[in-house]
Amino acid sequence: MTGAAAVPGAAPVAAPRRFRVCCHVGRDPAASPRRAGSPGERPGSSAAMASSGEEPSGGSPGRAGTGAEADAAQLDTAEDFEVLEEEGEEDEDDLSELPPLEDVGRPTAPPRDDAQPPMRGAGDAAGEPEEWLDVLGNGLLKKKTLVPGQGVESRPQKGQDVTIRLKATLKDGTVVEQDPALTFTLGDCDVLQALDLCVQLLEMGETALIVSDAKYCYGAQGRSPDVPPNASLTLEVELLAARDTPDLELLTGKEKIQLANRKRERGNFFYQQADYVLAVNSYDIALRILGSSSKVDFSPDEEAELLDVKVKCLNNLAASQLKLDHFKAALKSCNLVLEHQPGNIKALFRKGKVLAQQGEYREAIPILKAALKLEPSNKTIHAELSKLVKKHADQRNVETEMYRKMLGNPSAASTPRKCKDKLPWSIPWKWLFGATAIALGGVALSVVIAARN
């Protein structure tokens, strides 16, 4: 159940036949195989972090997987613990070219030559009396009805499984995607954002033409090898069916694993696109699927695999939350992983990193030491630990100096001098006079008592 860029709003569902992003590296055995050249799909790769093959991946999007493995390996190293790059200039994540959630309904670009007036306007350049709907009001996403449908009441709802006929072409007429029956969950971030937004407006049986800016398709990166960067698309879409999603409680263990893995892989794709908000959304959907109650008994192997997928989703979720500076949420995700697997290196590392980001160096250092003990050869942990030890030492020096000034402690130079001036026998004369008087009084009292006796 995967596809391309999408919008927020998610409802976990299962579908008998779906499109998904293929993950070449670290793919789980339970996930169903990928159809080569699947239309409607926004490819991405899910690859392993470090040694276990479970984390958000990278790679050039491409239906045929061209160059994906090499790019994934490069991103895996950076994503594994993501420390070294954060100290340099590459730490700045430029999301300006990506389609964030808040783009919906917000004009972000000047009107284009081919843009139509808001909402309804004239037809094409030839002057045909065809009506266009400006979906977002910014001229970047337009819809035109070619064949009317069965009425507004027949429109699909978010969370339903919809099946459409799709044909996507570039500006020059090159067909880049074609599928007679593409099925996905509406509003679940599984396909192109242009589709997720516009299919909600289709009536059953309606055929429409959708002209979308690259922002709501494949963005600045495009899709290798057939969709160039910043390419607008024309989508011909026919709504064939809409139905409620299957009950999660009735899914078998295998079905639940496959569905959750597809959502996790979708999150991995968004992660590699640096769209961490949508990545968090996809991981949350996968975790809701995994955490849903079930009326079906699972085998011990299925239970173990469900737990493994859950740990992967939580680890990836923590990585995305860390990118968004959601430290409290990331710490919670790490702790949930460590409840199931106390020796999970990625969770230990990320927990230490979250604490370090919050300035809790004293707590972070032992956690990183525990991770390093489990994997002594990991250079990234070494680098992060060395950095934290130095920061902790600097922090203690600053605190010591601050406390000294607050308490007004004498300087190191003046203290020995005062001690030197005080000799052991220098007792105040008042004390000597008092002691002598007490002694004489005692002698006199003793004489008087003796005389009376």
Side-chain angles (χ1 to χ4, degrees):
M1 182 191 306
T2 58
V7 294
V13 291
R17 173 178 176 274
R18 301 192 184 280
F19 242 42
R20 58 188 177 281
V21 174
C22 180
C23 302
H24 298 284
V25 183
R27 185 176 181 84
D28 295 280
S32 46
R34 171 177 179 264
R35 286 191 297 125
S38 300
E41 177 179 352
R42 183 175 183 180
S45 259
S46 140
M49 282 185 49
S51 58
S52 70
E54 70 186 62
E55 301 302 325
S57 66
S60 301
R63 289 177 298 172
T66 305
E69 290 81 0
D71 292 343
Q74 183 179 3
L75 280 177
D76 285 346
T77 302
E79 203 290 306
D80 189 0
F81 293 115
E82 298 174 338
V83 174
L84 302 181
E85 65 177 17
E86 294 184 2
E87 291 300 300
E89 298 177 356
E90 295 180 0
D91 183 48
E92 298 299 328
D93 296 315
D94 184 9
L95 306 183
S96 59
E97 297 299 328
L98 297 175
L101 298 178
E102 55 267 27
D103 284 332
V104 177
R106 175 168 57 89
T108 57
R112 295 166 39 165
D113 295 335
D114 59 346
Q116 304 300 322
M119 297 307 293
R120 298 279 179 183
D124 54 17
E128 297 177 5
E130 295 171 330
E131 296 288 330
W132 285 93
L133 171 67
D134 190 346
V135 177
L136 300 177
N138 57 8
L140 301 181
L141 183 63
K142 300 177 295 179
K143 168 188 171 289
K144 177 174 66 176
T145 299
L146 300 180
V147 178
Q150 301 174 10
V152 176
E153 65 280 356
S154 66
R155 288 179 178 176
Q157 303 296 318
K158 282 187 177 181
Q160 286 188 312
D161 282 348
V162 296
T163 301
I164 63 172
R165 177 182 61 82
L166 173 67
K167 180 180 179 182
T169 58
L170 296 175
K171 217 168 187 179
D172 61 3
T174 303
V175 177
V176 293
E177 298 190 11
Q178 195 163 7
D179 194 314
L182 170 63
T183 299
F184 62 95
T185 304
L186 191 59
D188 226 12
C189 302
D190 291 336
V191 290
L192 291 172
Q193 195 171 0
L195 286 174
D196 231 353
L197 289 170
C198 292
V199 170
Q200 304 176 43
L201 306 175
L202 295 182
E203 300 171 2
M204 190 60 60
E206 177 182 351
T207 300
L209 201 62
I210 299 169
V211 177
S212 174
D213 185 78
K215 186 175 190 177
Y216 307 111
C217 295
Y218 294 103
Q221 296 188 15
R223 185 189 68 185
S224 175
D226 52 355
V227 180
N230 297 310
S232 59
L233 291 180
T234 298
L235 310 171
E236 184 178 319
V237 182
E238 179 184 2
L239 180 59
L240 302 176
R243 61 185 177 278
D244 292 336
T245 56
D247 189 346
L248 291 177
E249 292 185 342
L250 301 179
L251 293 179
T252 65
K254 184 177 180 180
E255 290 172 337
K256 184 173 284 193
I257 290 168
Q258 289 176 343
L259 180 57
N261 267 325
R262 286 196 292 268
K263 294 299 182 182
R264 177 179 63 85
E265 290 163 7
R266 189 64 186 154
N268 292 351
F269 169 75
F270 286 128
Y271 188 97
Q272 81 169 27
Q273 297 293 316
D275 198 337
Y276 306 116
V277 173
L278 291 183
V280 167
N281 180 72
S282 293
Y283 295 136
D284 277 337
I285 295 173
L287 289 169
R288 279 205 304 272
I289 294 169
L290 294 167
S292 61
S293 59
S294 180
K295 297 178 180 178
V296 180
D297 293 331
F298 300 148
S299 68
D301 288 343
E302 289 174 335
E303 291 281 4
E305 193 168 356
L306 284 167
L307 178 59
D308 183 61
V309 177
K310 180 180 180 181
V311 167
K312 291 176 182 178
C313 289
L314 287 170
N315 256 332
N316 296 354
L317 178 61
S320 302
Q321 291 166 335
L322 192 55
K323 284 288 189 180
L324 294 169
D325 293 338
H326 296 169
F327 300 131
K328 186 176 179 180
L331 187 61
K332 180 180 178 181
S333 298
C334 292
N335 286 333
L336 288 173
V337 173
L338 295 173
E339 286 180 9
H340 298 294
Q341 297 179 0
N344 189 290
I345 296 175
K346 298 177 185 65
L348 286 171
F349 179 86
R350 291 201 178 99
K351 181 176 181 179
K353 192 174 177 184
V354 168
L355 293 171
Q357 292 281 3
Q358 295 176 307
E360 303 291 342
Y361 303 126
R362 189 189 304 272
E363 292 77 9
I365 289 174
I367 294 174
L368 290 179
K369 286 182 177 179
L372 188 61
K373 186 176 180 180
L374 293 170
E375 194 171 318
S377 62
N378 193 299
K379 295 180 180 179
T380 308
I381 302 179
H382 271 289
E384 181 72 2
L385 185 56
S386 299
K387 181 176 67 177
L388 290 189
V389 169
K390 184 179 183 303
K391 286 185 176 180
H392 188 212
D394 294 342
Q395 184 186 59
R396 284 187 299 177
N397 291 337
V398 171
E399 290 176 350
T400 300
E401 181 65 18
M402 180 182 65
Y403 292 150
R404 188 188 69 77
K405 291 180 179 180
M406 289 175 59
L407 298 175
N409 289 346
S411 65
S414 61
T415 302
R417 187 178 300 114
K418 290 186 177 181
C419 294
K420 185 176 181 180
D421 292 340
K422 290 185 178 181
L423 299 178
W425 48 265
S426 58
I427 303 175
W429 65 271
K430 291 182 179 180
W431 289 10
L432 292 174
F433 179 78
T436 302
I438 292 173
L440 292 177
V443 172
L445 182 60
S446 299
V447 171
V448 171
I449 293 175
R452 288 183 177 178
N453 291 337

